[in-house]
Amino acid sequence: MSTFKAIRIDKGETSSHASYVDFSEADLMDGDVTVRVSHSSINYKDGLAITGKSPVVRRFPMIPGIDSAGIVEASTHKDFKPGDAVLLTGWGVGETHLGGLAQKLRVKGDWLVPMPKGLDAHSAMAIGTAGFTAMLSLLALERHGMTPAHGSALVTGAAGGVGSVATALLHKAGYHVIASTGRPEESEYLFGLGADEILDRATLSEPGRPLGKERWACAIDAVGSHTLANALAQTRYGGAVAACGLAQGMDLPTSVAPFILRGISLLGIDSVMCPQPLRRAAWQRLATDLDHDKIASLTIDIPFSQAIEAGAAILSGKIRGRVVVKIDE
Ligand code: NDP
């Protein structure tokens, strides 16, 4: 039986360990579609899996990689045939099901998204789970009735993957975008993506009052903890905050004041189990709303051989925007 190149995470006695291996095709998990992966990406969750810093991996050995794009090699699924270009994010791939940081992937066809017109494997992975989550957040704000006429939009963790795409998408939608970052040296980068103002993240990351001056109509928060509490406290009457991340922490040290005194809504965003109709609609919108020059400006390309290193770097907040991994070097 043939083998392919993959990153494999093995469980040791006290910690897990990631290494490059030749993985046997016979050890792939069940699925009705086999994909030849050309590109993957590095998300925050991949960093957690690769370093073992948080128990996101729930089966060993595991191939990490929550995102992948490539060409169908074999299929018994009615919607896919060999040669089709596809992308995949979520569904527990890279956590409970062998993932995309590998030359081959076998999954349920029901999880796959046909490559939308206007995107290719590289641009889809430049967007990846992080960009898809940013779009789900924007769609949730829109379902809530938010428009640029209501006021400004705050983005937290703006120089990260979710934040970079959120900044570009909110700008394209017509919002005045306030980008919160701890990296003032990335201001020009953020202005280039469409930010109108830069906010020092230190002004949001410490414990604050349950209600403050009303500063923005809506927010996309990738950070959680005190940052989310302060984002809520400074949202205008009737506004909404899409909560999609936990880069500062899982906790939410706030009170009901923003909800019952200002009618603010907290919108939860999950990209992993997102149903297919919303998933495909979000990808279609990403294909039309993100210009290729914007995608290029927020992307760093790395060879497969640097993916383990990049997994560690993303957790230390050193990565700007998105990292695309070219698998078929
Ligand atoms: P990145 O590491 O690329 O970005 C996170 C950003 O958060 C950093 O760049 C930094 O932005 C900011 N940040 C990091 N640490 C802190 C801190 N201690 N306090 C305040 N801000 C901090 O990760 P991603 O963009 O890929 O993911 C962001 C979050 O979203 C993660 O928690 C991830 O797990 C979550 N996520 C959730 C998904 C879902 O389905 N709900 C899907 C995808 C991601 P800056 O340097 O600008 O300050």
Side-chain angles (χ1 to χ4, degrees):
M1 179 59 84
S2 63
T3 62
F4 58 89
K5 275 204 288 176
I7 294 176
R8 191 181 66 204
I9 303 177
D10 293 291
K11 194 168 175 57
E13 283 196 1
T14 52
S15 60
S16 60
H17 175 72
S19 58
Y20 293 94
V21 297
D22 290 318
F23 201 92
S24 171
E25 209 170 323
D27 293 332
L28 279 172
M29 292 166 74
D30 287 349
D32 47 11
V33 182
T34 304
V35 178
R36 181 93 200 167
V37 180
S38 63
H39 297 76
S40 182
S41 87
I42 301 291
N43 291 274
Y44 194 85
K45 200 182 258 179
D46 299 312
L48 295 174
I50 287 169
T51 60
K53 284 218 169 106
S54 183
V56 294
V57 173
R58 277 160 286 152
R59 171 210 193 264
F60 293 94
M62 175 53 62
I63 296 175
I66 65 173
D67 292 347
S68 44
I71 300 292
V72 171
E73 200 174 74
S75 169
T76 55
H77 189 282
K78 62 179 177 32
D79 296 341
F80 297 99
K81 59 180 189 318
D84 287 348
V86 291
L87 68 88
L88 173 70
T89 68
W91 302 112
V93 174
E95 302 178 70
T96 54
H97 191 101
L98 296 176
L101 283 165
Q103 290 173 317
K104 269 190 200 191
L105 178 77
R106 185 172 299 138
V107 292
K108 285 186 186 174
D110 289 348
W111 295 346
L112 294 167
V113 173
M115 188 63 70
K117 197 164 171 286
L119 294 179
D120 58 17
H122 180 272
S123 52
M125 290 298 93
I127 295 167
T129 288
F132 172 56
T133 302
M135 178 50 90
L136 291 179
S137 301
L138 174 61
L139 291 173
L141 293 173
E142 291 181 350
R143 276 199 305 277
H144 188 73
M146 302 310 303
T147 68
H150 291 94
S152 307
L154 170 73
V155 176
T156 64
V162 173
S164 292
V165 180
T167 299
L169 290 174
L170 286 163
H171 169 77
K172 175 84 176 177
Y175 283 92
H176 177 95
V177 181
I178 304 172
S180 164
T181 182
R183 291 185 266 178
E185 68 276 15
E186 299 299 356
S187 298
E188 283 311 310
Y189 162 73
L190 290 166
F191 287 135
L193 288 178
D196 297 284
E197 284 178 51
I198 304 293
L199 185 67
D200 181 350
R201 84 178 191 201
T203 63
L204 296 176
S205 57
E206 298 299 320
R209 290 181 297 153
L211 286 179
K213 187 169 172 246
E214 298 176 40
R215 295 173 74 185
W216 36 78
C218 58
I220 295 180
D221 175 63
V223 172
S225 191
H226 293 296
T227 301
L228 175 54
N230 286 318
L232 287 164
Q234 295 173 59
T235 298
R236 271 194 183 171
Y237 190 92
V241 177
C244 63
L246 45 66
Q248 185 180 9
M250 269 267 199
D251 56 330
L252 178 51
T254 187
S255 74
V256 295
F259 311 117
I260 66 170
L261 298 178
R262 288 199 182 146
I264 289 158
S265 297
L266 183 56
L267 311 175
I269 305 300
D270 169 57
S271 64
V272 178
M273 303 305 290
C274 175
Q276 275 288 4
L278 176 57
R279 191 176 281 266
R280 292 187 184 203
W283 277 104
Q284 286 301 336
R285 178 99 179 257
L286 283 160
T288 54
D289 281 20
L290 273 182
D291 306 332
H292 281 265
D293 59 332
K294 285 271 165 61
I295 296 179
S297 80
L298 59 80
T299 308
I300 303 162
D301 290 302
I302 61 168
F304 193 20
S305 56
Q306 289 173 16
I308 292 181
E309 210 180 308
I314 197 166
L315 296 190
S316 57
K318 289 194 183 122
I319 291 201
R320 179 178 97 175
R322 297 275 304 137
V323 178
V324 173
V325 182
K326 197 163 182 311
I327 300 287
D328 55 356
E329 298 166 57

